[in-house]
Coordinates of all heavy atoms in Angstrom, one line a residue:
E245 N -13.7 9.2 -45.1 CA -13.0 10.4 -44.7 C -12.2 10.3 -43.5 O -11.4 11.0 -43.1 CB -13.9 11.6 -44.6 CG -14.5 12.0 -46.0 CD -15.4 13.2 -45.9 OE1 -15.8 13.6 -44.8 OE2 -15.6 13.9 -46.9
F248 N -8.4 10.6 -44.1 CA -8.6 11.7 -45.0 C -7.4 11.9 -45.9 O -7.5 12.0 -47.1 CB -8.8 12.9 -44.2 CG -9.3 14.1 -45.0 CD1 -10.7 14.1 -45.3 CD2 -8.5 15.0 -45.6 CE1 -11.2 15.2 -46.1 CE2 -9.0 16.0 -46.3 CZ -10.4 16.1 -46.7
I272 N -17.2 10.3 -41.8 CA -16.8 9.5 -40.7 C -18.0 9.1 -39.8 O -18.8 9.9 -39.5 CB -15.9 10.3 -39.8 CG1 -14.6 10.8 -40.6 CG2 -15.4 9.6 -38.6 CD1 -13.7 11.8 -39.8
R274 N -19.1 7.8 -36.2 CA -18.6 7.8 -34.8 C -19.5 7.1 -33.8 O -20.7 6.9 -34.0 CB -18.6 9.3 -34.4 CG -17.7 10.2 -35.2 CD -17.7 11.7 -34.8 NE -16.8 12.4 -35.8 CZ -15.5 12.4 -35.7 NH1 -14.9 11.7 -34.7 NH2 -14.8 13.0 -36.6
Y300 N -11.3 13.6 -30.4 CA -12.3 14.3 -31.2 C -12.8 15.6 -30.5 O -13.0 16.7 -31.2 CB -13.6 13.4 -31.4 CG -14.7 14.0 -32.3 CD1 -14.4 14.7 -33.4 CD2 -16.0 13.9 -31.8 CE1 -15.4 15.2 -34.2 CE2 -17.0 14.6 -32.5 CZ -16.8 15.1 -33.8 OH -17.7 15.7 -34.5
L303 N -10.3 18.3 -31.1 CA -10.5 18.8 -32.5 C -11.7 19.7 -32.7 O -11.5 20.8 -33.3 CB -10.7 17.7 -33.5 CG -9.4 16.8 -33.8 CD1 -9.8 15.7 -34.8 CD2 -8.2 17.6 -34.2
Q304 N -12.8 19.4 -32.0 CA -13.9 20.3 -32.0 C -13.6 21.6 -31.3 O -14.0 22.6 -31.9 CB -15.1 19.6 -31.3 CG -15.7 18.5 -32.1 CD -16.9 17.8 -31.3 OE1 -16.7 17.4 -30.2 NE2 -18.1 17.9 -31.8
A307 N -11.4 23.7 -33.6 CA -12.2 24.2 -34.7 C -13.0 25.4 -34.2 O -13.1 26.4 -34.9 CB -13.1 23.1 -35.3
G308 N -13.7 25.2 -33.1 CA -14.4 26.4 -32.5 C -13.5 27.5 -32.3 O -13.9 28.8 -32.6
L340 N -3.7 21.9 -39.1 CA -4.7 22.4 -40.0 C -4.2 22.4 -41.4 O -3.1 22.9 -41.6 CB -5.0 23.9 -39.6 CG -6.2 24.5 -40.4 CD1 -7.5 23.9 -40.1 CD2 -6.2 26.0 -40.2
R341 N -4.9 21.8 -42.3 CA -4.4 21.6 -43.7 C -5.5 22.1 -44.7 O -6.7 22.0 -44.4 CB -4.0 20.2 -44.0 CG -2.9 19.6 -43.1 CD -1.6 20.2 -43.5 NE -0.5 19.8 -42.8 CZ 0.5 19.1 -43.3 NH1 0.5 18.7 -44.5 NH2 1.6 18.8 -42.4
A343 N -8.0 21.5 -47.4 CA -8.9 20.2 -47.6 C -8.4 19.5 -48.9 O -8.5 18.3 -49.0 CB -10.3 20.5 -47.7
L352 N -7.3 30.3 -41.6 CA -8.4 29.6 -42.2 C -9.0 30.5 -43.3 O -10.0 31.2 -43.1 CB -9.4 29.3 -41.1 CG -10.7 28.5 -41.5 CD1 -10.3 27.2 -42.2 CD2 -11.7 28.4 -40.5
R354 N -9.6 29.1 -46.6 CA -10.2 28.3 -47.6 C -10.7 27.0 -46.9 O -10.4 26.7 -45.7 CB -9.1 27.9 -48.7 CG -7.9 27.0 -48.1 CD -6.8 27.1 -49.0 NE -5.8 28.0 -48.6 CZ -4.5 28.1 -49.0 NH1 -4.1 27.3 -49.9 NH2 -3.7 29.0 -48.6
P355 N -11.4 26.1 -47.6 CA -11.9 24.9 -47.0 C -10.7 24.1 -46.4 O -9.7 24.0 -47.1 CB -12.6 24.1 -48.1 CG -13.0 25.2 -49.1 CD -11.9 26.2 -49.0
A356 N -10.9 23.7 -45.1 CA -9.7 23.1 -44.5 C -10.1 21.9 -43.7 O -11.3 21.6 -43.6 CB -9.1 24.1 -43.6
R357 N -9.1 21.2 -43.2 CA -9.3 19.9 -42.4 C -8.4 20.0 -41.2 O -7.1 20.4 -41.4 CB -8.9 18.8 -43.3 CG -9.7 17.5 -42.9 CD -11.1 17.5 -43.6 NE -11.9 16.5 -43.1 CZ -13.2 16.2 -43.4 NH1 -13.8 16.9 -44.2 NH2 -13.8 15.2 -42.8
L358 N -8.8 19.8 -40.0 CA -8.1 19.7 -38.9 C -7.8 18.2 -38.8 O -8.7 17.4 -38.7 CB -8.8 20.1 -37.7 CG -8.6 21.4 -37.1 CD1 -9.5 21.6 -35.8 CD2 -7.2 21.6 -36.6
L359 N -6.5 17.8 -38.7 CA -6.2 16.3 -38.7 C -5.3 16.0 -37.5 O -4.4 16.8 -37.1 CB -5.5 15.8 -39.9 CG -6.2 16.2 -41.3 CD1 -5.5 17.3 -42.0 CD2 -6.3 15.0 -42.2
D371 N -8.0 11.0 -36.4 CA -9.3 11.6 -36.6 C -9.2 12.9 -37.3 O -8.0 13.4 -37.5 CB -9.9 11.8 -35.2 CG -11.4 12.0 -35.2 OD1 -12.1 12.1 -36.4 OD2 -12.1 11.9 -34.1
N372 N -10.3 13.4 -37.8 CA -10.2 14.6 -38.5 C -11.5 15.3 -38.6 O -12.6 14.6 -38.4 CB -9.5 14.5 -39.9 CG -10.4 13.7 -40.8 OD1 -11.3 14.3 -41.5 ND2 -10.2 12.4 -40.9
L373 N -11.5 16.6 -38.9 CA -12.8 17.4 -38.9 C -12.7 18.5 -40.0 O -11.6 19.0 -40.2 CB -12.7 18.2 -37.5 CG -13.9 18.8 -37.0 CD1 -15.0 17.9 -36.8 CD2 -13.5 19.4 -35.6
G374 N -13.7 18.7 -40.7 CA -13.8 19.7 -41.7 C -14.1 21.1 -41.2 O -14.8 21.2 -40.2
L375 N -13.5 22.1 -41.8 CA -13.7 23.5 -41.4 C -13.9 24.4 -42.6 O -13.1 24.2 -43.6 CB -12.4 24.1 -40.6 CG -12.3 24.0 -39.2 CD1 -11.7 22.6 -38.8 CD2 -11.4 25.1 -38.6
A376 N -14.9 25.3 -42.6 CA -15.1 26.2 -43.7 C -14.6 27.6 -43.2 O -14.9 27.9 -42.0 CB -16.5 26.1 -44.1
P377 N -14.1 28.4 -44.1 CA -13.8 29.7 -43.7 C -15.1 30.5 -43.6 O -16.1 30.2 -44.1 CB -12.9 30.3 -44.9 CG -13.2 29.4 -46.1 CD -13.7 28.1 -45.5

Side-chain angles (χ1 to χ4, degrees):
E245 290 183 345
F248 196 80
I272 300 175
R274 299 179 180 282
Y300 180 50
L303 289 180
Q304 285 179 304
L340 184 70
R341 299 289 179 115
L352 179 61
R354 64 195 96 166
R357 210 84 191 177
L358 261 175
L359 304 109
D371 203 345
N372 66 83
L373 190 63
L375 270 85

